[in-house]
Amino acid sequence: YNLQKKTSAAEKVFIQAAKQFPNDEYVQWAAGEHYFINKNFPIAVRYLERAVKIDAKSGRAQLGLAESQFELGNHESAVKHYFSACQIDKSNIAREAFRTAASKLRNKQNPASYEYDKMIQQCP
């Protein structure tokens, strides 16, 4: 449904799957990712928090939650999840996303950028 641009049909499938499989990290992450892509960040956070609670070592869930929190302006929460994702992810995708977020904050002269820069330095 997503590929066919049938967003509401896709949403129904994600909601049903998330209800049917409440303890499945992948299903919760996929639902959160759907909402993130569609820029519904508060709902994305709800599903991604569940995914992280199910499996805290899921890099995709940590990164998705970080990016959703970042978009909502919850920088204190976002930086923690970026850092967790960075520690888990061996491909450096999370590290690059972390750097991009820090750069966006720096460009806006947001004081939160200092915490981001400090935490990036501690990332393996």
Side-chain angles (χ1 to χ4, degrees):
Y1 290 122
N2 271 337
L3 296 174
Q4 297 172 350
K5 307 284 187 215
K6 296 181 180 178
T7 307
S8 65
E11 184 174 356
K12 288 177 186 175
V13 170
F14 282 115
I15 291 169
Q16 183 60 38
K19 285 180 184 176
Q20 190 172 353
F21 302 101
N23 296 317
D24 188 304
E25 179 273 337
Y26 177 78
V27 172
Q28 300 302 316
W29 167 80
E33 188 70 7
H34 166 77
Y35 285 104
F36 179 82
I37 289 167
N38 288 291
K39 300 187 184 313
N40 190 337
F41 305 116
I43 303 297
V45 164
R46 184 171 60 197
Y47 286 106
L48 293 164
E49 282 177 338
R50 285 186 202 159
V52 166
K53 187 175 181 179
I54 293 164
D55 183 3
K57 294 184 188 261
S58 169
R60 66 179 168 216
Q62 291 284 1
L63 181 58
L65 183 53
E67 291 188 321
S68 296
Q69 292 285 21
F70 181 87
E71 291 295 334
L72 290 172
N74 299 332
H75 300 302
E76 198 172 307
S77 175
V79 75
K80 293 174 190 174
H81 293 289
Y82 275 121
F83 185 71
S84 294
C86 187
Q87 290 181 307
I88 297 164
D89 179 32
K90 303 298 182 222
S91 70
N92 287 328
I93 291 171
R95 185 183 194 88
E96 290 307 312
F98 202 176
R99 284 185 178 153
T100 299
S103 179
K104 286 178 182 178
L105 291 175
R106 247 183 274 112
N107 288 340
K108 293 180 181 179
Q109 297 179 345
N110 187 315
S113 67
Y114 299 113
E115 183 67 18
Y116 278 63
D117 288 334
K118 185 176 89 175
M119 295 300 282
I120 288 170
Q121 297 304 315
Q122 297 174 28
C123 228

